[in-house]
Amino acid sequence: CIPTYQRKDILISTLKEIKEVNEKIHIRVLDNASTDGSFEELEKLAQQYPNLHISKNEKNMGYAYSIIKLLEESTKKYIILTSNEEPVIIDNISQIIKDCISQDIGIVSPVFFKFGRQCRGYNFNRDIPLNDFGRCCADFPGIIINAHLVKKYLHTLKEYNYKAYDEMYPVVFLSIIALVFGTGKYHRLPSVYVKYREENQNVKSKPTYNLPDARWVQTRTWMSVFDDLQKNTLTSKNKI
């Protein structure tokens, strides 16, 4: 599953690379109302390759909305969340999915390297403890989610404003659901690799990312979420 916005050239290159390795692999792309011709190119590519499923938002709905819509549109039990710049590693994905199916895992966090630096995971397989709900999905590309499991509890996520939720990284919420109602595994095999170092110039630059401030916003927002869940929901494993 790939959300995209204003990344036409990078997106098409990544999709072609994946399809040239395995034409039958299912890929789902959601275009978030790009104006650079992304969806028109996707339509052409969808006629060329099987199992390339495309859709678009009529207006820019933001990253969080797009992730959840991709999840809802998916039909497979396991989905791989990635971006325009990180193609999946087919051979590794095949092995990781086999492990997911055999153990009925809720979320898998494969090791992730970015420009020679390990940004996520471990070089060996191990369980994901519940208190790693944020750490296990840092740098979201390559995270594997049991879609059948988390779809049961999406109503909880939808109670929050999507715009505000863009600040909370929706994949973190999905990891919480997967870990509370299922199991999680760190996997030693990388599922994606970083293909591009530079940002697409068509995307307007954002303010410089300030890590301490960003972490504080995340912490403050998630404490509010957890407080709401404690006040308004059941603690039973049948409901959130």
Side-chain angles (χ1 to χ4, degrees), residues 193-209:
Y193 75 95
V194 178
K195 185 176 182 180
Y196 295 96
R197 183 179 291 270
E198 299 296 330
E199 288 288 330
N200 188 306
Q201 296 303 312
N202 289 330
V203 180
K204 293 182 179 179
S205 60
K206 295 181 179 181
T208 303
Y209 186 79

Side-chain angles (χ1 to χ4, degrees), residues 4-5 30-34 56-57 59-63 65-66:
T4 188
Y5 178 68
L30 174 60
D31 177 51
N32 197 21
S34 298
K56 67 176 180 178
N57 295 327
K59 61 179 180 178
N60 190 329
M61 298 297 294
Y63 166 73
Y65 179 92
S66 297

Side-chain angles (χ1 to χ4, degrees), residues 18 25 80-82 86-94 96-97 108-113 120 139-144 187-194:
I18 297 172
I25 190 171
I80 305 159
L81 299 173
T82 191
E86 285 90 12
V88 297
I89 304 172
I90 301 296
D91 289 343
N92 289 359
I93 287 295
S94 298
I96 297 171
I97 293 298
V108 175
S109 177
V111 67
F112 180 61
F113 295 93
R120 183 187 70 223
D139 290 295
F140 89 94
I143 295 294
I144 300 172
H187 206 287
R188 63 180 179 81
L189 294 177
S191 56
V192 299
Y193 75 95
V194 178

Side-chain angles (χ1 to χ4, degrees), residues 34-134:
S34 298
T35 58
D36 65 348
S38 291
F39 192 73
E40 290 76 11
E41 290 300 314
L42 283 171
E43 288 180 313
K44 296 176 184 177
L45 212 61
Q47 294 177 2
Q48 181 180 349
Y49 293 110
N51 300 327
L52 176 56
H53 313 283
I54 62 173
S55 59
K56 67 176 180 178
N57 295 327
E58 294 304 318
K59 61 179 180 178
N60 190 329
M61 298 297 294
Y63 166 73
Y65 179 92
S66 297
I67 286 288
I68 300 308
K69 186 175 178 182
L70 278 166
L71 178 61
E72 290 181 316
E73 290 177 349
S74 67
T75 59
K76 301 298 182 180
K77 181 174 181 178
Y78 287 100
I79 64 170
I80 305 159
L81 299 173
T82 191
S83 73
N84 314 270
E85 298 94 346
E86 285 90 12
V88 297
I89 304 172
I90 301 296
D91 289 343
N92 289 359
I93 287 295
S94 298
Q95 181 57 56
I96 297 171
I97 293 298
K98 287 179 182 178
D99 294 342
C100 288
I101 294 172
S102 65
Q103 302 174 53
D104 197 27
I105 299 173
I107 181 172
V108 175
S109 177
V111 67
F112 180 61
F113 295 93
K114 192 171 186 177
F115 309 135
R117 181 173 66 91
Q118 184 170 337
C119 300
R120 183 187 70 223
Y122 298 89
N123 296 322
F124 53 90
N125 296 349
R126 57 166 289 186
D127 292 340
I128 300 176
L130 183 55
N131 60 1
D132 268 11
F133 67 87

